[in-house]
Amino acid sequence: MAAQKINEAHEHIAKAEKCLKTSMTKWKPDYDGAASEMAKAAVAFKNAKQFEQAKDAYLKEAEYHTENKALFHAAKAYEQAGMMLKDMKKMPEAIQLIEKASIMYVENGTSGTAGMALDRAGKLIEPIDLEKAVDLYQKAASVFENEDRLRQAAELLGKASRLLVRLRRLDEAAVSLQKEKNMYKEIENYPTCFKKTIAQVLVHLHRGDFVAADKCVRESYSLPGFSGSEDCVSMETLLAAYDEQDEDDVSRVCNSPLLKYMDNDYAKLAISLKVPGGGGGKKKKSPVAPQGGSAGPPPAEEEDDYEGGLC
C-alpha cells in the first residue's frame, strides 16, 4: 500500500514538472497545474507516512502558488508543510512555517484565518515552549483585535495571561489581564470582567502591589452588577484581611470554591498567597499579641505551590 502511494506521488511530481516546461507554443509555465499536482503528491506521501517528502512537496506547492500570486493557497501549503514537521516532531521548524503562513494570510486579507493558524501553533508549542506559546497567542490576539473581533482577541489574550502567570512574569500578566478586562467590558460581558478582577487582585498581591489590587476592585464598581456580587464581597474581604495581616481570613477566602475553581494557574496563585510578615507559610493572625490567651498551635507549614516553578 505504502509503495503504491509513493509511486503515485512520483507520478504527480512528474506531471508537475511537465506543467512547468515551456516550448514554442507554451511560453509561460503552468504554475497552477504544477501546484495542483504537487498537492496531490504531498497527500500521497502523507498517506504513505513519508512526512519528509510530503513536507517538501507542500513547500513546492507553496512556491508555485506564490509564483501564481495565489497567496491564500500558498499560505495553506506552508501550513500543511508545518503540520508534516509536527508529525516529524520538529516543532520549532513547524511553528516557523505556520507563522510564515499567517503573515501570508494577513497579506491576502484573510486575517481571521491567520489568527486561527497562530492559535493552533500556540497549542502545538505550549507543551514544550511556554515563552513561544505566549508570543503566538499575543500575535493571534492582535490579529483579531485589528479585525474588531474582540471576543476572539480576549480569549487568546486570556491564554497568554495564564501562561505569563505560570512563567511568573507577573508584571506582564497584570498588563495582559487589564487589556482582557477592557475588551470584555467593551463587548459587555460583565460576569467575565468580574472573574478578571479576581485574577488581577491575585496577580497584584503576588507582585506585592496592594494599591494596584485595591484599584482594580474600585474600578470594577462601575461594572453593572459587580457591587454586592459574590466576586466583589470576596475581593473586599480578601483585601481587608491582607491589609490587616489576617492570614486565617486570607486563607479562608483563597480556599473558597469561588477561587479554588478558577483556571488552574489563578487557583494556584490563590492557595499560595501569603500575607506580608506571615512567616513564609505558617498561619499567623496578626503581629499584635492575641487577647484572651492562645488560640491553639499554628497549623503545619504549607507547601509552596511555586517551589521549583509551576508545572
Side-chain angles (χ1 to χ4, degrees):
M1 177 68 177
Q4 184 186 336
K5 287 291 174 190
I6 292 168
N7 285 338
E8 188 183 313
H10 284 295
E11 285 170 16
H12 287 300
I13 291 171
K15 286 179 184 175
E17 287 168 353
K18 193 175 176 184
C19 288
L20 295 173
K21 283 181 180 169
T22 55
S23 65
M24 292 290 288
T25 54
K26 183 187 160 198
W27 293 1
K28 288 184 177 179
D30 176 11
Y31 288 117
D32 189 40
S36 176
E37 291 298 335
M38 272 300 175
K40 291 171 187 171
V43 170
F45 279 133
K46 183 165 76 169
N47 290 337
K49 302 280 191 261
Q50 302 297 306
F51 299 128
E52 179 75 46
Q53 288 167 290
K55 179 260 297 179
D56 290 341
Y58 279 125
L59 289 176
K60 279 290 181 189
E61 182 199 349
E63 185 187 318
Y64 301 149
H65 280 309
T66 305
E67 288 286 353
N68 208 33
K69 305 287 190 291
L71 288 186
F72 181 83
H73 295 298
K76 271 284 178 202
Y78 278 124
E79 200 178 342
Q80 288 296 327
M83 298 311 284
M84 294 304 95
L85 284 163
K86 181 210 64 152
D87 290 337
M88 291 156 65
K89 306 287 188 279
K90 293 182 177 180
M91 209 60 81
E93 295 95 325
I95 299 308
Q96 211 171 353
L97 282 182
I98 297 172
E99 281 193 271
K100 183 171 184 171
S102 74
I103 291 166
M104 294 182 87
Y105 285 133
V106 171
E107 286 173 1
N108 184 61
T110 46
S111 296
T113 312
M116 288 187 282
L118 289 166
D119 181 21
R120 280 194 293 272
K123 285 175 192 162
L124 289 177
I125 201 75
E126 192 175 314
I128 57 171
D129 188 345
L130 291 180
E131 303 268 358
K132 185 61 185 174
V134 167
D135 175 54
L136 290 164
Y137 290 141
Q138 287 174 333
K139 282 178 180 171
S142 181
V143 166
F144 282 119
E145 189 182 3
N146 290 338
E147 292 283 295
D148 281 330
R149 292 168 65 174
L150 294 186
R151 185 181 61 79
Q152 290 97 325
E155 285 171 4
L156 284 154
L157 271 181
K159 293 182 182 185
S161 300
R162 290 194 292 274
L163 295 188
L164 286 167
V165 166
R166 203 178 304 174
L167 287 161
R168 299 298 286 175
R169 285 160 56 182
L170 297 183
D171 290 352
E172 292 168 76
V175 172
S176 186
L177 276 163
Q178 185 62 51
K179 196 168 181 184
E180 265 188 85
K181 187 171 161 183
N182 291 343
M183 286 181 182
Y184 281 116
K185 184 179 178 182
E186 200 167 327
I187 60 175
E188 299 183 352
N189 183 341
Y190 300 122
T192 302
C193 289
F194 302 170
K195 301 305 174 199
K196 297 303 166 189
T197 301
I198 295 176
Q200 283 181 305
V201 168
L202 292 169
V203 166
H204 284 311
L205 291 181
H206 270 274
R207 292 175 61 240
D209 193 341
F210 178 86
V211 172
D214 187 55
K215 185 183 174 189
C216 286
V217 175
R218 289 180 186 279
E219 284 177 348
S220 295
Y221 289 140
S222 65
L223 297 170
F226 181 73
S227 189
S229 67
E230 183 187 11
D231 306 79
C232 175
V233 172
S234 182
M235 289 304 96
E236 288 172 341
T237 306
L238 176 61
L239 288 172
Y242 189 90
D243 194 33
E244 292 162 13
Q245 297 191 336
D246 184 340
E247 198 159 346
D248 289 334
D249 267 2
V250 166
S251 179
R252 183 173 56 77
V253 174
C254 286
N255 283 282
S256 67
L258 183 67
L259 273 68
K260 268 175 84 172
Y261 298 120
M262 291 180 76
D263 287 312
N264 198 36
D265 294 300
Y266 299 123
K268 285 183 176 183
L269 281 186
I271 60 175
S272 63
L273 183 64
K274 308 296 175 204
V275 300
K282 291 184 179 178
K283 294 282 177 71
K284 190 163 80 172
K285 186 72 178 172
S286 83
V288 181
Q291 296 177 6
S294 170
E301 189 158 324
E302 292 178 0
E303 208 177 286
D304 181 2
D305 283 80
Y306 289 111
E307 196 173 341
L310 273 174
C311 57

